[in-house]
Amino acid sequence: MERAEVVASLILSAHALARIAAQDAGNEAPSAQWRVLSILENSAPVRIGDLARAARTTQPGTTRLVGELERTGLVARASDPQDSRATLVTITAQGRQALEDWRVELRTTLAPRFADVSDDDWLALERAADLLRTHSTER
């Protein structure tokens, strides 16, 4: 398998595992919710348009999602002090906790699928995870 194929395979497999974990756990929250909260987790307040671009969704869709997340207390919106027409979004403590709970749910749900992985294969998976994390930072 060529390098580009390996990377694509890893990405597709990761998406499939996330879908399987959400289905197996019965988690009905849209994946866009977790994507938006993950983006906000390590960001300063983000404008809706920038958040939409980062989440690869439309601005109206992101506006609706942020409204839902705000109603449930997972994010907060505020006017941008430098441009009153723009809205800034931040993750709340409740949003951080929901994101952490979701990650625990994913780990717990997927753990049985990896119970038979050898120590050598675990090391390979850890190395792959490190490489993906290193190369997935925005440039």
Side-chain angles (χ1 to χ4, degrees):
M1 197 180 300
E2 291 187 27
R3 288 178 179 208
E5 291 176 80
V6 171
V7 172
S9 178
L10 285 169
I11 291 166
L12 293 173
S13 295
H15 284 293
L17 280 171
R19 278 192 312 275
I20 288 166
Q23 289 169 348
D24 288 356
N27 188 311
E28 296 191 14
S31 59
Q33 170 180 311
W34 305 119
R35 191 168 45 251
V36 163
L37 291 175
S38 294
I39 291 165
L40 293 172
E41 178 182 35
N42 297 309
S43 302
V46 179
R47 286 182 171 199
I48 294 272
D50 294 335
L51 186 56
R53 277 187 291 286
R56 300 190 61 213
T57 59
T58 65
Q59 188 162 340
T62 300
T63 300
R64 279 190 301 278
L65 178 58
V66 165
E68 292 169 21
L69 295 175
E70 184 179 41
R71 279 188 290 286
T72 59
L74 302 179
V75 301
R77 289 192 278 193
S79 293
D80 185 338
Q82 298 181 337
D83 182 353
S84 61
R85 299 168 297 167
T87 299
L88 296 174
V89 183
T90 56
I91 190 170
T92 63
Q94 186 177 343
R96 287 181 193 283
Q97 187 60 57
L99 188 56
E100 179 55 28
D101 292 348
W102 173 71
R103 288 174 176 156
V104 168
E105 183 178 53
L106 284 180
R107 289 191 299 264
T108 302
T109 302
L110 290 174
R113 290 179 175 270
F114 292 88
D116 63 346
V117 173
S118 71
D119 290 344
D120 286 343
D121 285 345
W122 249 155
L123 290 174
L125 287 171
E126 284 181 37
R127 181 70 179 128
D130 286 342
L131 286 168
L132 291 173
R133 190 172 23 262
T134 300
H135 293 280
S136 65
T137 57
E138 298 211 20
R139 297 174 188 207

